[in-house]
Amino acid sequence: MGMNATKSINESNLNLGTVTNTLISFEFLFVLFLFSGVVKELYGVNILLDTTFVLMILVSLSMTYLIYRRSEVTHIQIVCVILLVLFLAYTFMTGLFINGENYFMRKMIGTSTTILAFFSSVFVIATRPVRVRKLIQSLYLFSIISGIVAILKLVFLSAGSLQELVQYQLMTLLLGIGFILSFHYTLMNRKKIKKALIYSFLTMFFILMLSSSGGRGPFISSIIANVLLLITVFISNKTNIKKLVQIIVSFFSIILTSGFIFSYLGVVPRTIERILITIDSPLESRLMYYPTAIRSIINNPLFGIGFGGWPSVWDQVHDHPHNLLLEVTTELGLAGLFLFTLVIVYPLSYFRPVIDIQNSKKTIIILLLVYLFIWRMVSGDLTSDRFLFTFIGLLIYPSIRHCQADNIKLNLFG
């Protein structure tokens, strides 16, 4: 137990060596691809070709090389990918029979990035624990750097808000990941005062950024994920009274300090303000989309209205119902929902969802998966699912090691 705990805590270190190894890794390149919109707008990366397209090519080439070097895959990986391809093939096929081809093509191109994200997750990152760790470190490092860059630009460029700098939904999604990881590492290192203070400071930093950004989905989803972590730690048999006190003090110290900062500044956090406005004004609530989606499902239950068909039942301003399950069922019908469920349930069946702050990688995978899934229930559309499917693919990583130990392999290159 002591050895595992030490190893887990070391995974939260971001010293110079770790940062260097992370920055030159495939996983960091992959994170840049996932958040290519942030790379393009926040960092001002202007190249001859589209930034997302260039990063897709680089990730594709790197992934192909790494798969070739490994030269073997398990049957679990093969089945996972087959299920995703079947779902996406069905998805694109339904869009061929609807009006509004331009929107369908734009949505199809965006959704196709899911394939690359899922392939990279299943065939490369999930194959080794060190790669899973590097992905988590890459996400954390990129969230910290991006948060600092955003603040510096807001101060020195006198920008009015985060929305003027970058796609705030994508940026707040990244900030939510930073918030979850910071709070998790605060709990992991609560016995080490210096580290606990550093991660507590970073947790408050991300709370302040999220509260000020206006991104309601990531804000609510990250809060729920962290509450889930607290609850599971509370009910754990391994948690004694002393640990509970440390966790409670850590949690409320962070919340109270963040609240004091806002009180001192005399401002209401923009995200909270938007949440309250939405509650007070039903016309602005996304719940208004749901009755329309449900009526459409009743009228077209089996195959739906076709991929990209949402504008045909709602005005052209809103291209999706801001709810993953409603979007899938409305546009793809019960048949599409069944295929989508298989893509999730199959890798999940190989994962033992145990949340233990000393079992760092498995805990973070579950927390971020919960975070992304809840976010997708209130925001985004199928073109945003590369984030969600990245972590769905990571669910199989413990089972891949088991299959390799039992020599259950499929050799790709002879």
Side-chain angles (χ1 to χ4, degrees), residues 290-306 310 312-313 329-334:
Y290 297 173
T292 301
I294 292 172
R295 284 194 299 269
S296 178
I297 293 170
I298 294 173
N299 294 331
N300 306 275
L302 190 57
F303 300 110
I305 57 178
W310 176 252
S312 67
V313 296
T329 312
T330 301
E331 296 193 349
L332 308 178
L334 295 176

Side-chain angles (χ1 to χ4, degrees), residues 211-237:
S211 300
S212 306
S213 66
R216 293 167 293 188
F219 179 79
I220 295 172
S221 303
S222 59
I223 292 291
I224 293 174
N226 280 331
V227 169
L228 173 64
L229 175 61
L230 279 174
I231 292 174
T232 52
V233 171
F234 284 166
I235 64 177
S236 171
N237 293 328

